[in-house]
Amino acid sequence: MQTLREKVVRGTPDFPLKLYNFKTAKVDTAYHWHPEIEIVYVEKGKFTVVINNERFIALPETIFIVNTGELHSMNENRGEVLFHSVVFYPQLLDFDNKNPFQRSFLDPLKSGKLCLSHQIKKGDKCFEKIKEQFVRIINSENKPLYAAEQTVALYEILLALLNSGEVFSSVGNKTAAQNTEIIKKVIGYIDDNLSAKITLSQLADCAKMSEKYFCSFFRKQAGCTPIEYINRVRIERACQLLKTHNMSVTDAAFETGFESLSYFIRRFKRQMGVSPSEYKKNGKN
């Protein structure tokens, strides 16, 4: 069984980088992971960011970094938010020749032996430099030489982090690493069986824990109960089905494992702020 990872193609095969711009009244991204590095710049609003069980409050003029393979989520916003995210494979920055920078920094960063700090706030030594290069990535998006500009901007961001001491070794905290792998295994099981009935007993067996201990463990790691997480992921999957597969509301409900249509509609509206039919009609994100 594979662990849950976000199954999204970033950019193109020869330039695997994708820029996202979010302006929304509802931030609700369930715990997930991907092999790419993600850098987030918050321009407006307030919401919660969780990275490997570390909880942050996202405020304007804050930058967040998710390293390769790290579990993360974003939710609990206060009003409308505006933020930007660049997601890229670290292999994008590889050199043809193994120079010292490649061997001592890029390779350990790709393997997860080195990590970048999760939060950079306004006033931190490298904040202005990173923000400047992030804006450069945004502004170069539609230029003829966008790939060259964005690649140089990423090198500048990494150098700013290095020079400011915002790079650390991930080796040493075996317990945290083991907990992360358990959570990845559990949410991978959920993802593989989303359309079926999923019980706490099955999830606890997957984690090799008692049900009582597992519920406490999962809530501590993911910031929500297992049932809340399952419902959140099911609603996210239903959004995809309604938007990209033109599926009916009823079919989307049962395809994502909900046994009651009325319960699905209530959960959908609570999470997305609109009913499933309104979401489908308006194509809301």
Side-chain angles (χ1 to χ4, degrees):
M1 181 191 69
Q2 293 183 338
T3 55
L4 175 68
R5 58 178 277 187
E6 197 173 53
K7 304 176 182 71
V8 178
V9 177
R10 315 286 186 188
T12 61
D14 60 342
F15 192 68
L17 178 150
K18 180 70 176 177
L19 176 67
Y20 299 92
N21 300 295
F22 297 95
K23 185 176 183 180
T24 178
K26 190 70 174 178
V27 179
D28 200 341
T29 304
Y31 227 29
H32 67 286
W33 70 277
H34 43 67
E36 303 96 325
I37 294 173
E38 181 172 4
I39 305 175
V40 177
Y41 167 58
V42 183
E43 190 171 339
K44 175 186 175 183
K46 179 180 179 181
F47 55 98
T48 299
V49 175
V50 180
I51 306 174
N52 274 4
N53 198 32
E54 192 176 4
R55 198 173 188 86
F56 305 94
I57 300 299
L59 297 170
E61 296 296 280
T62 310
I63 291 166
F64 293 96
I65 302 174
V66 180
N67 295 282
T68 179
E70 289 187 325
L71 288 160
H72 57 287
S73 65
M74 295 187 292
N75 48 57
E76 298 175 359
N77 59 297
R78 310 287 188 270
E80 185 177 78
V81 301
L82 173 62
F83 64 97
H84 313 273
S85 171
V86 59
V87 187
F88 65 97
Y89 280 95
Q91 289 85 345
L92 172 69
L93 303 176
D94 279 351
F95 294 93
D96 289 337
N97 297 316
K98 290 278 187 178
N99 58 42
F101 184 71
Q102 176 86 44
R103 292 194 300 269
S104 64
F105 180 64
L106 290 180
D107 287 345
L109 191 64
K110 288 188 298 181
S111 67
K113 292 179 181 178
L114 281 182
C115 292
L116 307 172
S117 292
H118 290 147
Q119 183 183 46
I120 306 294
K121 296 180 289 186
K122 188 175 179 63
D124 289 345
K125 182 179 178 181
C126 58
F127 176 83
E128 293 300 335
K129 181 67 173 180
I130 295 175
K131 178 184 174 182
E132 175 190 343
Q133 295 304 316
F134 201 105
V135 171
R136 182 180 183 182
I137 291 173
I138 295 172
N139 291 340
S140 64
E141 182 72 358
N142 297 313
K143 292 182 179 180
L145 297 177
Y146 74 95
E149 281 224 44
Q150 292 179 342
T151 302
V152 171
L154 289 177
Y155 281 125
E156 292 281 6
I157 288 172
L158 293 181
L159 283 172
L161 290 164
L162 266 173
N163 290 332
S164 302
E166 300 291 351
V167 178
F168 59 94
S169 172
S170 63
V171 178
N173 194 342
K174 290 186 177 180
T175 300
Q178 289 170 350
N179 289 345
T180 296
E181 289 308 310
I182 292 171
I183 289 294
K184 282 185 177 181
K185 184 178 180 182
V186 170
I187 62 179
Y189 179 89
I190 292 170
D191 189 59
D192 289 341
N193 297 277
L194 204 58
S195 61
K197 184 174 183 178
I198 302 173
T199 66
L200 284 176
S201 175
Q202 291 169 329
L203 298 181
D205 286 344
C206 185
K208 294 181 170 52
M209 299 175 182
S210 68
E211 286 187 40
K212 183 178 180 180
Y213 183 80
F214 168 73
C215 288
S216 174
F217 169 82
F218 189 95
R219 181 160 197 155
K220 183 178 179 181
Q221 297 294 318
C224 62
T225 69
I227 300 304
E228 287 170 340
Y229 177 83
I230 291 169
N231 283 329
R232 183 177 296 169
V233 174
R234 282 176 167 161
I235 295 299
E236 287 184 5
R237 182 73 57 80
C239 286
Q240 295 173 1
L241 295 175
L242 291 170
K243 185 166 62 174
T244 62
H245 294 270
N246 197 28
M247 190 173 284
S248 71
V249 171
T250 301
D251 287 345
F254 295 119
E255 180 69 22
T256 52
F258 285 95
E259 298 179 348
S260 164
L261 180 59
S262 60
Y263 180 67
F264 166 71
I265 293 172
R266 288 199 307 273
R267 286 288 318 188
F268 193 103
K269 191 167 186 177
R270 186 188 311 169
Q271 185 165 322
M272 301 305 298
V274 294
S275 70
S277 57
E278 289 173 315
Y279 181 92
K280 181 179 179 180
K281 179 180 178 181
N282 299 327
K284 285 184 174 291
N285 293 315

